[in-house]
Amino acid sequence: MNKTEPELTAEVDLCLPNGRLNPAAVGWTRRPLHRANLRGWGRNKRFEYWCITTPEITVAINVSHSDYRVTLATFFLDLTTVQAFSQAEIHWLPRGRIDAMPERSGSGATIGRGDAMLIEMLPTATGTRLRATTPRLTVDLEVIEPDGHESMGVVVPWDDRRFQYTRKDNCLPVRGRVVADGVAYEVDTATAYATLDHGRGRWPYWITWNWASGSGRSDGHEIGLQFGAKWTDGTPSTENALRLDGRIEKISQEHEWIYDRDDWMKPWRIRGDRVDLVFTPVYDRYSNFDRLIVCSKEHQCFGYFDGSVVSESGKRYKVERIFGWAEEVHRRW
């Protein structure tokens, strides 16, 4: 189904003074223009998720603040051995766990403090500094945002009380060092990419989504893949875009997702008028948390995209062995 999504080019508040969705905020952007001036307490959700991919390793850090709960999490995957570990701290009715979370993406620091974890996402003159210290993982990375770099921002309106702004960014150069269980890995801009998922909104009690992202070079071009499904159903928005040699091309069409819930390691298929991709997983990061009013069940599969995508001008690009992930998440909170 094709949708009509306006491109916004001026800064805008996500909410009206009464806390409800600002109708002028609904649309998509090439750079972070939304100020998430959320009001009230109990249904607000704010998160910053960074994932770094290299030929050797994948590492992710996450700070999530859902009013009454703060989650700090890290993930590490060694692609050579296909061994992985996750670490997380959940703090209920937290005080002093979040030092800062900016209303507009990239405009300030995000700092989360746990009992044995510290995660810092610090803006710099050229991008973002990512630091994490946990019992098993140390991260010190510099994400570089090139001049003129474009990202995809989207507002998904379920109604005027429940809505989500997300900024999805990929194909970002990154350099630095990761130490996992005492083993050091050097991260080089020649082979590494950073991906950001920045979110602010007021969420419904129960939601399911798909998300897929990939960054790499294929067919002589830099190609970024960004797709979402399920949670945008019934709204005027999509979470779909291509990055072709640095420029965002928004796709205002829902895609068909085909995958086997009985065997998550089978190839997935994502296809639409301009997209025909097969995703082959190499690792399934499964998590299942169910406590009191909160439930989260997630399969995030890491692997490779192959197939083709088509630009707005009709040019076809071959996609070959672009690394990334595809996921299905059920969330109650």
Side-chain angles (χ1 to χ4, degrees):
M1 181 180 70
N2 292 314
K3 302 183 179 184
T4 301
E5 299 177 273
E7 180 181 353
L8 308 183
T9 57
E11 293 186 1
V12 63
D13 285 344
L14 181 61
C15 301
L16 298 172
N18 62 7
R20 297 193 179 187
L21 175 64
N22 178 7
V26 179
W28 71 278
T29 62
R30 298 180 185 274
R31 57 191 180 94
L33 297 174
H34 287 81
R35 184 173 77 92
N37 55 329
L38 299 171
R39 300 292 182 265
W41 187 92
R43 304 306 311 166
N44 295 315
K45 189 173 181 65
R46 307 169 179 88
F47 58 84
E48 303 284 342
Y49 173 87
W50 283 95
C51 187
I52 312 301
T53 58
T54 82
E56 287 185 287
I57 65 170
T58 292
V59 61
I61 59 176
N62 179 46
V63 176
S64 177
H65 187 1
S66 302
D67 284 347
Y68 55 82
R69 181 179 64 128
V70 163
T71 300
L72 309 178
T74 62
F75 171 74
F76 176 83
L77 169 63
D78 186 321
L79 289 163
T80 303
T81 63
V82 199
Q83 299 297 309
F85 63 81
S86 299
Q87 301 170 97
E89 289 189 18
I90 297 174
H91 298 279
W92 301 89
L93 299 176
R95 288 188 177 181
R97 298 296 182 179
I98 301 294
D99 285 7
M101 290 192 91
E103 287 189 326
R104 186 166 62 83
S105 182
S107 65
T110 292
I111 302 174
R113 301 181 184 275
D115 294 333
M117 301 176 69
L118 173 64
I119 296 177
E120 299 174 295
M121 305 170 181
L122 311 171
T124 69
T126 56
T128 305
R129 186 77 175 269
L130 303 178
R131 292 176 175 169
T133 304
T134 79
R136 300 182 64 181
L137 189 68
T138 302
V139 175
D140 191 356
L141 297 169
E142 180 186 4
V143 179
I144 302 163
E145 185 170 322
D147 291 341
H149 179 82
E150 296 185 351
S151 60
M152 182 190 68
V154 175
V155 169
V156 177
W158 296 294
D159 56 43
D160 66 348
R161 295 176 181 268
R162 301 287 181 261
F163 44 86
Q164 164 76 5
Y165 165 70
T166 183
R167 177 192 177 196
K168 296 291 197 298
D169 204 353
N170 58 16
C171 290
L172 286 160
V174 58
R175 63 191 173 203
R177 200 167 193 248
V178 174
V179 181
D181 286 339
V183 179
Y185 302 85
E186 299 300 325
V187 176
D188 186 349
T189 55
T191 56
Y193 289 102
T195 297
L196 167 67
D197 184 12
H198 161 102
R200 302 289 189 271
R202 295 180 59 82
W203 281 37
Y205 179 62
W206 178 261
I207 195 167
T208 298
W209 73 77
N210 292 124
W211 177 30
S213 181
S215 302
R217 296 196 65 85
S218 179
D219 202 14
H221 299 273
E222 184 181 73
I223 298 176
L225 309 171
Q226 171 56 52
F227 308 113
K230 291 186 173 63
W231 72 300
T232 56
D233 291 351
T235 77
S237 304
T238 75
E239 198 188 19
N240 301 324
L242 303 174
R243 179 191 302 282
L244 301 175
D245 293 324
R247 182 167 175 81
I248 289 291
E249 294 196 358
K250 188 72 173 69
I251 302 178
S252 296
Q253 180 191 59
E254 299 287 2
H255 291 84
E256 182 182 19
W257 288 60
I258 303 170
Y259 53 97
D260 189 344
R261 291 188 177 91
D262 293 322
D263 187 350
W264 297 90
M265 295 296 289
K266 282 186 177 180
W268 300 40
R269 186 88 177 267
I270 301 174
R271 61 188 181 189
D273 289 348
R274 294 170 52 194
V275 173
D276 191 357
L277 296 169
V278 173
F279 172 74
T280 304
V282 297
Y283 182 82
D284 175 18
R285 186 181 72 84
Y286 171 68
S287 62
N288 189 1
F289 177 88
D290 194 347
R291 186 177 301 172
L292 301 175
I293 63 171
V294 177
C295 173
S296 178
K297 184 176 181 180
E298 177 176 355
H299 286 271
Q300 184 183 27
C301 294
F302 293 88
Y304 295 91
F305 292 93
D306 293 277
S308 65
V309 296
V310 178
S311 71
E312 293 172 341
S313 66
K315 181 179 178 179
R316 184 173 298 275
Y317 294 79
K318 184 178 181 180
V319 174
E320 193 170 33
R321 296 282 289 178
I322 286 184
F323 188 78
W325 58 87
E327 69 181 29
E328 180 187 88
V329 179
H330 303 275
R331 190 69 51 83
R332 183 186 75 231
W333 71 291

